[in-house]
Amino acid sequence: QKEVEQNSGPLSVPEGAIASLNCTYSDRGSQSFFWYRQYSGKSPELIMSIYSNGDKEDGRFTAQLNKASQYVSLLIRDSQPSDSATYLCAVNPRGSTLGRLYFGRGTQLTVWP
Amino acid sequence: SAVISQKPSRDICQRGTSLTIQCQVDSQVTMMFWYRQQPGQSLTLIATANQGSEATYESGFVIDKFPISRPNLTFSTLTVSNMSPEDSSIYLCSVVEREVTGELFFGEGSRLTVL
């Protein structure tokens, strides 16, 4: 069973703060990890992908991967109200073809002005 | 990234009927997938749409219920057959554009409500 776990939230942070979103996964051999943002009524939008241990930064977003702990996180710096959405963690398990992703149930983030 | 268009964007269907969702990509892609997102749930892969051959279905999904066509590298259809209220979901077409990254991109989705 390939599981991806996220805190459902809601996570509420003030504007300008750092939002920290966490995800754990069960398949130790997983190779590829992705964060998606999903606004209400919209389809998921890819924010970040990460493949090796450590941090990967893109603008206000930083993805962190720790394969030993089977943990991946997303930090959003200088959070804006427009960041309010559900954030989905997705994992491509070992042996899976590309595109076959297992998704967590998402963390709902609210950024208040 | 590729532009992925789905039709219909939403529909209300009667129990027992079938509906076909179309997915059109503005560039040729090898890998195309159909996901489902039930209300309040996360995304679940239904099947991989293979060009020129039968789709590859995930556990719990069968061809009789979700027949898929993939006639070329830019187009696919998903049919939801003999619908019941439990089929009320968002159905999402998705593609991997660059195999080196495995990044998956989604269409706008088709929201089906079955009465």
Side-chain angles (χ1 to χ4, degrees), chain A residues 24-86:
Chain A
T24 59
Y25 58 95
S26 63
D27 186 337
R28 181 172 291 277
S30 297
Q31 299 293 326
S32 307
F33 307 86
F34 307 91
W35 282 100
Y36 288 85
R37 176 176 62 198
Q38 186 172 27
Y39 292 113
S40 180
K42 301 294 186 181
S43 63
E45 172 191 10
L46 180 67
I47 300 175
M48 296 279 290
S49 55
I50 187 166
Y51 307 96
S52 54
N53 282 328
D55 295 359
K56 178 182 178 183
E57 187 174 318
D58 184 0
R60 295 186 296 112
F61 299 97
T62 299
Q64 300 174 317
L65 175 61
N66 184 327
K67 290 186 178 181
S69 300
Q70 296 173 234
Y71 177 92
V72 58
S73 66
L74 180 70
L75 300 178
I76 306 174
R77 291 182 300 281
D78 187 24
S79 295
Q80 302 296 309
S82 58
D83 295 326
S84 299
T86 297

Side-chain angles (χ1 to χ4, degrees), chain A residues 34 36 38 41 43-44 46 49 51 88 98-101 103-105, chain B residues 31 33 35 37 41-43 45 58 92 99 101-104 106-107:
Chain A
F34 307 91
Y36 288 85
Q38 186 172 27
S43 63
L46 180 67
S49 55
Y51 307 96
L88 302 171
L98 297 175
R100 292 185 69 238
L101 303 185
F103 283 81
R105 295 181 67 169
Chain B
M31 312 186 80
F33 308 86
Y35 280 79
Q37 187 173 31
Q41 304 296 315
S42 192
L43 283 78
L45 178 62
E58 298 298 309
L92 293 150
E99 294 184 21
T101 67
E103 293 172 339
L104 192 67
F106 290 92

Side-chain angles (χ1 to χ4, degrees), chain B residues 14-33:
Chain B
Q14 296 300 316
R15 181 195 301 259
T17 63
S18 299
L19 182 80
T20 296
I21 302 167
Q22 298 180 0
C23 178
Q24 179 74 54
V25 188
D26 69 346
S27 59
Q28 293 188 337
V29 292
T30 304
M31 312 186 80
M32 187 178 284
F33 308 86

Side-chain angles (χ1 to χ4, degrees), chain B residues 63-81:
Chain B
I63 187 171
D64 290 347
K65 177 66 175 178
F66 297 102
I68 288 171
S69 77
R70 178 90 192 270
N72 56 52
L73 292 176
T74 64
F75 186 79
S76 178
T77 66
L78 168 74
T79 299
V80 187
S81 303

